[in-house]
Structure formats: C-alpha cells, structure tokens
Amino acid sequence: MSDQYPQYPQYPNDPNASTPYPGAQPAPAGAGPVYAGWWIRVGASVIDGLIAVAVAIVPVVVGLVMAFSDLEIDPVTDEATGTVDPLGILVLVIGGLVFFGFDIWNRGVRIGTRGQSLGKQLVGVRTLRADTGAVLGGGMGFLRWLVAFGFGFIPFGQLVDVLWPLFDPRKQTLHDKVMSSVSVRS
C-alpha cells in the first residue's frame, strides 16, 4: 500500500480488510458532529410511523369489525340500521391507545433514553442534547415528543416544524430548538 492514503484499522480474520480509496482524507480533528439531513430524518419518521401502525392495526381492525358488524344500509333511505357493539368500540379505543402508547415510547421515551427511535436506529441517526452530546433522558424525550405533537394543533405548525431543517444550519426542527436537541449521524 502507498503511504499517501490513510490507513484504516485491520480486524482479525477480516477477509475484506479495509483499504483506502483514492482521495480519502481522515476527518479533521475537532470537526464536530455530522448533523442528520432532512431526507434521512423523514425516512426514519416514516419507518417509525409504519411500525406504530403495524403494532396497532390488529386491535383497530378487530374493533371495527366487532363494532359495526351488525350495521346494514337500507337501500331505499341510505340510513344505517342495526346496533353498534360497545365492546367493539372499546377494542377500537384500546387500539388507538396502543398506537399512541407505542409512539410515545418509541419517539419519546426511547429517544430520550437511548438517543434513537427504532426508525432512527435503522437509518443511523441519534438525537442528543445540543450542548453536551448526551442523551436527553426519558422525561425530556417525552417532553420533546409532546412539543412535536403540539405543533400539530397550530395551523401549519407541523408543516413548518418538519420543513425547518431544510433551512437550519444545524438541521434542527422547531421542536429540536425548543428542547435544545440535535439529530446527528451515528
């Protein structure tokens, strides 16, 4: 190997021992964190949403079937006739609670305690305190989730929140700014 390329660590019995590629440069000392870009964060969020839906889909579908299985539509008046099963409504509500409970745990508490939701873990992103680089903590993670959820009640708030990283130098959402957190590549 030529000395002009940086050397990479060799691991025992690694058949694909890393070799430098032309033009490779080591990261400059003190370069700081690499902030996670908008698209990778969107991908992580989509994955998290799909996982939450997958967790809650069974009780929601069962609840819908139970609640509305006796309903019929009168072909003449287009009115619904029959009864709604209260047990089905209860199962439907439980499905909604499962969805929100999982989402709070995954995007709130898990980000606070581990720095990553399941989606962020899959795409290689961590959310950390902006000042120290430490994890937020479970309570602060939940509060971060709550602030992000709260932007949904402000007209265009959620849209502005999720688009903010496109123009921010540290690629922070508004709820990241409120909570003094950043998302970095891990």
Side-chain angles (χ1 to χ4, degrees):
M1 286 182 153
S2 172
D3 288 334
Q4 74 182 22
Y5 299 120
Q7 300 300 308
Y8 293 93
Q10 302 296 314
Y11 298 99
N13 303 324
D14 182 6
N16 301 319
S18 60
T19 57
Y21 54 90
Q25 298 294 321
V34 177
Y35 299 115
W38 188 77
W39 281 109
I40 197 160
R41 291 183 71 177
V42 167
S45 186
V46 167
I47 291 169
D48 285 332
L50 290 173
I51 293 171
V53 166
V55 166
I57 194 77
V58 171
V60 168
V61 170
V62 168
L64 286 170
V65 168
M66 287 175 64
F68 302 110
S69 63
D70 290 339
L71 286 181
E72 293 181 5
I73 304 296
D74 187 326
V76 176
T77 62
D78 285 337
E79 291 182 8
T81 59
T83 60
V84 175
D85 184 2
L87 184 59
I89 298 296
L90 178 63
V91 172
L92 189 59
V93 168
I94 289 171
L97 293 174
V98 166
F99 175 83
F100 274 107
F102 178 82
D103 198 53
I104 289 169
W105 170 79
N106 186 40
R107 294 189 208 207
V109 177
R110 192 170 197 276
I111 284 180
T113 56
R114 301 182 80 185
Q116 296 176 308
S117 64
L118 295 172
K120 286 184 178 194
Q121 184 177 354
L122 286 173
V123 299
V125 172
R126 295 178 65 85
T127 298
L128 305 168
R129 292 175 55 100
D131 54 353
T132 64
V135 294
L136 300 171
M140 294 296 282
F142 170 73
L143 192 56
R144 180 179 179 274
W145 177 89
L146 196 59
V147 169
F149 185 76
F151 276 114
F153 293 102
I154 301 170
F156 301 106
Q158 199 167 30
L159 181 64
V160 172
D161 181 37
V162 298
L163 292 179
W164 199 268
L166 292 171
F167 310 103
D168 189 81
R170 295 198 306 176
K171 300 184 185 336
Q172 290 175 294
T173 60
L174 291 179
H175 65 270
D176 280 327
K177 289 191 171 294
V178 169
M179 298 306 299
S180 298
S181 60
V182 290
S183 290
V184 296
R185 297 298 302 260
S186 58

